[in-house]
mmCIF file of all heavy atoms in Angstrom:
data_model
loop_
_atom_site.group_PDB
_atom_site.id
_atom_site.type_symbol
_atom_site.label_atom_id
_atom_site.label_comp_id
_atom_site.label_asym_id
_atom_site.label_seq_id
_atom_site.Cartn_x
_atom_site.Cartn_y
_atom_site.Cartn_z
ATOM 1 N N MET M 1 0.851 -1.159 0.000
ATOM 2 C CA MET M 1 0.000 0.000 0.000
ATOM 3 C C MET M 1 0.903 1.230 0.000
ATOM 4 O O MET M 1 1.818 1.343 0.787
ATOM 5 C CB MET M 1 -0.903 -0.039 1.237
ATOM 6 C CG MET M 1 -1.786 1.150 1.347
ATOM 7 S SD MET M 1 -3.147 0.972 2.533
ATOM 8 C CE MET M 1 -2.330 0.567 4.049
ATOM 9 N N ASN M 2 0.621 2.152 -0.886
ATOM 10 C CA ASN M 2 1.427 3.358 -1.029
ATOM 11 C C ASN M 2 0.757 4.492 -0.257
ATOM 12 O O ASN M 2 -0.055 5.219 -0.778
ATOM 13 C CB ASN M 2 1.550 3.707 -2.516
ATOM 14 C CG ASN M 2 2.622 4.729 -2.764
ATOM 15 O OD1 ASN M 2 3.328 5.127 -1.845
ATOM 16 N ND2 ASN M 2 2.738 5.162 -4.000
ATOM 17 N N VAL M 3 1.094 4.612 1.017
ATOM 18 C CA VAL M 3 0.448 5.576 1.907
ATOM 19 C C VAL M 3 1.497 6.535 2.436
ATOM 20 O O VAL M 3 2.617 6.146 2.724
ATOM 21 C CB VAL M 3 -0.227 4.840 3.092
ATOM 22 C CG1 VAL M 3 -0.834 5.818 4.071
ATOM 23 C CG2 VAL M 3 -1.280 3.890 2.590
ATOM 24 N N PHE M 4 1.121 7.794 2.577
ATOM 25 C CA PHE M 4 2.014 8.782 3.171
ATOM 26 C C PHE M 4 2.352 8.356 4.586
ATOM 27 O O PHE M 4 1.474 8.072 5.390
ATOM 28 C CB PHE M 4 1.329 10.150 3.201
ATOM 29 C CG PHE M 4 2.027 11.157 4.059
ATOM 30 C CD1 PHE M 4 3.193 11.744 3.629
ATOM 31 C CD2 PHE M 4 1.544 11.484 5.299
ATOM 32 C CE1 PHE M 4 3.859 12.667 4.418
ATOM 33 C CE2 PHE M 4 2.185 12.411 6.102
ATOM 34 C CZ PHE M 4 3.352 12.994 5.653
ATOM 35 N N GLN M 5 3.619 8.293 4.904
ATOM 36 C CA GLN M 5 4.071 7.924 6.231
ATOM 37 C C GLN M 5 4.754 9.123 6.864
ATOM 38 O O GLN M 5 5.791 9.557 6.402
ATOM 39 C CB GLN M 5 5.077 6.761 6.162
ATOM 40 C CG GLN M 5 4.512 5.487 5.586
ATOM 41 C CD GLN M 5 3.688 4.730 6.605
ATOM 42 O OE1 GLN M 5 3.832 4.927 7.796
ATOM 43 N NE2 GLN M 5 2.799 3.895 6.126
ATOM 44 N N PRO M 6 4.191 9.682 7.922
ATOM 45 C CA PRO M 6 4.866 10.807 8.573
ATOM 46 C C PRO M 6 6.176 10.353 9.195
ATOM 47 O O PRO M 6 6.351 9.182 9.503
ATOM 48 C CB PRO M 6 3.874 11.254 9.644
ATOM 49 C CG PRO M 6 2.930 10.137 9.823
ATOM 50 C CD PRO M 6 2.945 9.324 8.565
ATOM 51 N N VAL M 7 7.093 11.284 9.374
ATOM 52 C CA VAL M 7 8.395 10.973 9.942
ATOM 53 C C VAL M 7 8.246 10.491 11.378
ATOM 54 O O VAL M 7 8.994 9.662 11.849
ATOM 55 C CB VAL M 7 9.317 12.217 9.876
ATOM 56 C CG1 VAL M 7 10.629 11.950 10.555
ATOM 57 C CG2 VAL M 7 9.519 12.629 8.428
ATOM 58 N N THR M 8 7.269 11.004 12.071
ATOM 59 C CA THR M 8 7.068 10.652 13.473
ATOM 60 C C THR M 8 5.640 10.201 13.707
ATOM 61 O O THR M 8 4.744 10.546 12.961
ATOM 62 C CB THR M 8 7.381 11.857 14.385
ATOM 63 O OG1 THR M 8 7.165 11.468 15.742
ATOM 64 C CG2 THR M 8 6.522 13.049 14.066
ATOM 65 N N ASP M 9 5.451 9.424 14.745
ATOM 66 C CA ASP M 9 4.121 8.959 15.125
ATOM 67 C C ASP M 9 3.642 9.717 16.361
ATOM 68 O O ASP M 9 2.775 9.281 17.066
ATOM 69 C CB ASP M 9 4.185 7.451 15.417
ATOM 70 C CG ASP M 9 2.807 6.829 15.571
ATOM 71 O OD1 ASP M 9 1.845 7.356 14.990
ATOM 72 O OD2 ASP M 9 2.695 5.827 16.286
ATOM 73 N N SER M 10 4.239 10.864 16.612
ATOM 74 C CA SER M 10 3.938 11.591 17.837
ATOM 75 C C SER M 10 3.082 12.815 17.551
ATOM 76 O O SER M 10 3.432 13.645 16.727
ATOM 77 C CB SER M 10 5.238 12.036 18.511
ATOM 78 O OG SER M 10 4.960 12.913 19.567
ATOM 79 N N ALA M 11 1.976 12.919 18.257
ATOM 80 C CA ALA M 11 1.129 14.103 18.121
ATOM 81 C C ALA M 11 1.813 15.323 18.716
ATOM 82 O O ALA M 11 1.356 16.443 18.529
ATOM 83 C CB ALA M 11 -0.214 13.866 18.795
ATOM 84 N N ASP M 12 2.930 15.117 19.435
ATOM 85 C CA ASP M 12 3.690 16.236 19.986
ATOM 86 C C ASP M 12 4.530 16.934 18.929
ATOM 87 O O ASP M 12 4.932 18.072 19.101
ATOM 88 C CB ASP M 12 4.616 15.766 21.120
ATOM 89 C CG ASP M 12 3.823 15.239 22.304
ATOM 90 O OD1 ASP M 12 2.690 15.721 22.519
ATOM 91 O OD2 ASP M 12 4.330 14.360 23.002
ATOM 92 N N ASP M 13 4.830 16.250 17.826
ATOM 93 C CA ASP M 13 5.582 16.863 16.734
ATOM 94 C C ASP M 13 4.706 17.946 16.116
ATOM 95 O O ASP M 13 3.557 17.695 15.776
ATOM 96 C CB ASP M 13 5.937 15.802 15.684
ATOM 97 C CG ASP M 13 6.635 16.410 14.498
ATOM 98 O OD1 ASP M 13 7.864 16.576 14.539
ATOM 99 O OD2 ASP M 13 5.930 16.726 13.518
ATOM 100 N N PRO M 14 5.223 19.177 15.974
ATOM 101 C CA PRO M 14 4.375 20.279 15.496
ATOM 102 C C PRO M 14 3.729 20.021 14.138
ATOM 103 O O PRO M 14 2.541 20.305 13.953
ATOM 104 C CB PRO M 14 5.326 21.473 15.427
ATOM 105 C CG PRO M 14 6.517 21.101 16.219
ATOM 106 C CD PRO M 14 6.571 19.600 16.277
ATOM 107 N N THR M 15 4.475 19.476 13.193
ATOM 108 C CA THR M 15 3.919 19.242 11.859
ATOM 109 C C THR M 15 2.854 18.166 11.908
ATOM 110 O O THR M 15 1.767 18.319 11.349
ATOM 111 C CB THR M 15 5.032 18.839 10.873
ATOM 112 O OG1 THR M 15 6.039 19.835 10.902
ATOM 113 C CG2 THR M 15 4.501 18.680 9.470
ATOM 114 N N PHE M 16 3.159 17.074 12.574
ATOM 115 C CA PHE M 16 2.201 15.974 12.674
ATOM 116 C C PHE M 16 0.963 16.419 13.442
ATOM 117 O O PHE M 16 -0.166 16.186 13.022
ATOM 118 C CB PHE M 16 2.848 14.766 13.352
ATOM 119 C CG PHE M 16 1.938 13.578 13.412
ATOM 120 C CD1 PHE M 16 1.691 12.822 12.291
ATOM 121 C CD2 PHE M 16 1.312 13.236 14.598
ATOM 122 C CE1 PHE M 16 0.841 11.735 12.330
ATOM 123 C CE2 PHE M 16 0.462 12.153 14.654
ATOM 124 C CZ PHE M 16 0.230 11.393 13.525
ATOM 125 N N GLY M 17 1.171 17.078 14.569
ATOM 126 C CA GLY M 17 0.047 17.547 15.378
ATOM 127 C C GLY M 17 -0.829 18.529 14.623
ATOM 128 O O GLY M 17 -2.054 18.491 14.732
ATOM 129 N N GLN M 18 -0.207 19.409 13.845
ATOM 130 C CA GLN M 18 -0.970 20.383 13.066
ATOM 131 C C GLN M 18 -1.807 19.683 12.000
ATOM 132 O O GLN M 18 -2.973 20.012 11.799
ATOM 133 C CB GLN M 18 -0.040 21.402 12.422
ATOM 134 C CG GLN M 18 -0.781 22.464 11.649
ATOM 135 C CD GLN M 18 0.160 23.488 11.037
ATOM 136 O OE1 GLN M 18 1.356 23.286 10.941
ATOM 137 N NE2 GLN M 18 -0.403 24.596 10.613
ATOM 138 N N GLY M 19 -1.210 18.706 11.308
ATOM 139 C CA GLY M 19 -1.953 17.958 10.287
ATOM 140 C C GLY M 19 -3.119 17.195 10.886
ATOM 141 O O GLY M 19 -4.229 17.201 10.348
ATOM 142 N N LEU M 20 -2.866 16.569 12.024
ATOM 143 C CA LEU M 20 -3.916 15.816 12.703
ATOM 144 C C LEU M 20 -5.020 16.752 13.177
ATOM 145 O O LEU M 20 -6.211 16.502 12.959
ATOM 146 C CB LEU M 20 -3.330 15.046 13.892
ATOM 147 C CG LEU M 20 -4.298 14.235 14.733
ATOM 148 C CD1 LEU M 20 -4.950 13.150 13.891
ATOM 149 C CD2 LEU M 20 -3.565 13.623 15.912
ATOM 150 N N GLY M 21 -4.655 17.857 13.788
ATOM 151 C CA GLY M 21 -5.639 18.824 14.274
ATOM 152 C C GLY M 21 -6.470 19.420 13.152
ATOM 153 O O GLY M 21 -7.684 19.596 13.281
ATOM 154 N N THR M 22 -5.819 19.729 12.029
ATOM 155 C CA THR M 22 -6.532 20.284 10.876
ATOM 156 C C THR M 22 -7.528 19.280 10.328
ATOM 157 O O THR M 22 -8.688 19.618 10.055
ATOM 158 C CB THR M 22 -5.535 20.697 9.780
ATOM 159 O OG1 THR M 22 -4.646 21.677 10.317
ATOM 160 C CG2 THR M 22 -6.238 21.252 8.558
ATOM 161 N N THR M 23 -7.099 18.034 10.181
ATOM 162 C CA THR M 23 -7.986 16.995 9.654
ATOM 163 C C THR M 23 -9.191 16.797 10.559
ATOM 164 O O THR M 23 -10.338 16.786 10.095
ATOM 165 C CB THR M 23 -7.220 15.668 9.494
ATOM 166 O OG1 THR M 23 -6.130 15.875 8.601
ATOM 167 C CG2 THR M 23 -8.111 14.573 8.944
ATOM 168 N N LEU M 24 -8.957 16.658 11.867
ATOM 169 C CA LEU M 24 -10.075 16.455 12.786
ATOM 170 C C LEU M 24 -10.963 17.696 12.863
ATOM 171 O O LEU M 24 -12.182 17.586 13.022
ATOM 172 C CB LEU M 24 -9.562 16.068 14.172
ATOM 173 C CG LEU M 24 -8.831 14.721 14.248
ATOM 174 C CD1 LEU M 24 -8.378 14.440 15.671
ATOM 175 C CD2 LEU M 24 -9.678 13.581 13.717
ATOM 176 N N GLY M 25 -10.369 18.867 12.710
ATOM 177 C CA GLY M 25 -11.159 20.095 12.663
ATOM 178 C C GLY M 25 -12.096 20.123 11.468
ATOM 179 O O GLY M 25 -13.256 20.534 11.583
ATOM 180 N N PHE M 26 -11.603 19.678 10.311
ATOM 181 C CA PHE M 26 -12.451 19.606 9.117
ATOM 182 C C PHE M 26 -13.607 18.629 9.335
ATOM 183 O O PHE M 26 -14.743 18.889 8.938
ATOM 184 C CB PHE M 26 -11.650 19.166 7.893
ATOM 185 C CG PHE M 26 -10.750 20.212 7.321
ATOM 186 C CD1 PHE M 26 -9.664 19.841 6.544
ATOM 187 C CD2 PHE M 26 -10.956 21.566 7.529
ATOM 188 C CE1 PHE M 26 -8.810 20.796 5.994
ATOM 189 C CE2 PHE M 26 -10.112 22.537 6.982
ATOM 190 C CZ PHE M 26 -9.043 22.133 6.212
ATOM 191 N N VAL M 27 -13.307 17.479 9.961
ATOM 192 C CA VAL M 27 -14.343 16.477 10.227
ATOM 193 C C VAL M 27 -15.426 17.084 11.133
ATOM 194 O O VAL M 27 -16.622 16.956 10.863
ATOM 195 C CB VAL M 27 -13.726 15.212 10.853
ATOM 196 C CG1 VAL M 27 -14.798 14.249 11.317
ATOM 197 C CG2 VAL M 27 -12.805 14.517 9.844
ATOM 198 N N ASP M 28 -14.998 17.752 12.198
ATOM 199 C CA ASP M 28 -15.962 18.406 13.102
ATOM 200 C C ASP M 28 -16.746 19.498 12.378
ATOM 201 O O ASP M 28 -17.945 19.668 12.595
ATOM 202 C CB ASP M 28 -15.244 19.041 14.303
ATOM 203 C CG ASP M 28 -14.961 18.050 15.420
ATOM 204 O OD1 ASP M 28 -15.564 16.958 15.430
ATOM 205 O OD2 ASP M 28 -14.133 18.378 16.292
ATOM 206 N N GLN M 29 -16.064 20.246 11.520
ATOM 207 C CA GLN M 29 -16.714 21.346 10.804
ATOM 208 C C GLN M 29 -17.854 20.846 9.935
ATOM 209 O O GLN M 29 -18.940 21.424 9.932
ATOM 210 C CB GLN M 29 -15.678 22.067 9.943
ATOM 211 C CG GLN M 29 -16.235 23.200 9.114
ATOM 212 C CD GLN M 29 -15.169 23.826 8.228
ATOM 213 O OE1 GLN M 29 -13.992 23.788 8.550
ATOM 214 N NE2 GLN M 29 -15.584 24.371 7.122
ATOM 215 N N LEU M 30 -17.621 19.771 9.192
ATOM 216 C CA LEU M 30 -18.679 19.244 8.332
ATOM 217 C C LEU M 30 -19.863 18.747 9.140
ATOM 218 O O LEU M 30 -21.012 18.958 8.763
ATOM 219 C CB LEU M 30 -18.134 18.103 7.460
ATOM 220 C CG LEU M 30 -17.569 18.517 6.117
ATOM 221 C CD1 LEU M 30 -16.887 17.348 5.440
ATOM 222 C CD2 LEU M 30 -18.642 19.092 5.223
ATOM 223 N N ALA M 31 -19.594 18.087 10.268
ATOM 224 C CA ALA M 31 -20.685 17.553 11.082
ATOM 225 C C ALA M 31 -21.393 18.657 11.867
ATOM 226 O O ALA M 31 -22.535 18.488 12.262
ATOM 227 C CB ALA M 31 -20.152 16.495 12.040
ATOM 228 N N GLY M 32 -20.714 19.780 12.082
ATOM 229 C CA GLY M 32 -21.303 20.854 12.871
ATOM 230 C C GLY M 32 -22.048 21.896 12.064
ATOM 231 O O GLY M 32 -22.794 22.698 12.613
#
């Protein structure tokens, strides 16, 4: 499977945390 793999698995990493937060924010936005 050709999937984007982030460099880190830590939500503490600013880039990873920002991507995760943005994605979940979009999910909440559509449902809200």
Side-chain angles (χ1 to χ4, degrees):
M1 178 165 56
N2 194 4
V3 177
F4 167 75
Q5 298 281 339
V7 176
T8 180
D9 191 27
S10 171
D12 296 330
D13 176 85
T15 305
F16 183 75
Q18 182 179 15
L20 178 62
T22 300
T23 301
L24 295 180
F26 285 158
V27 172
D28 277 344
Q29 178 183 333
L30 270 172

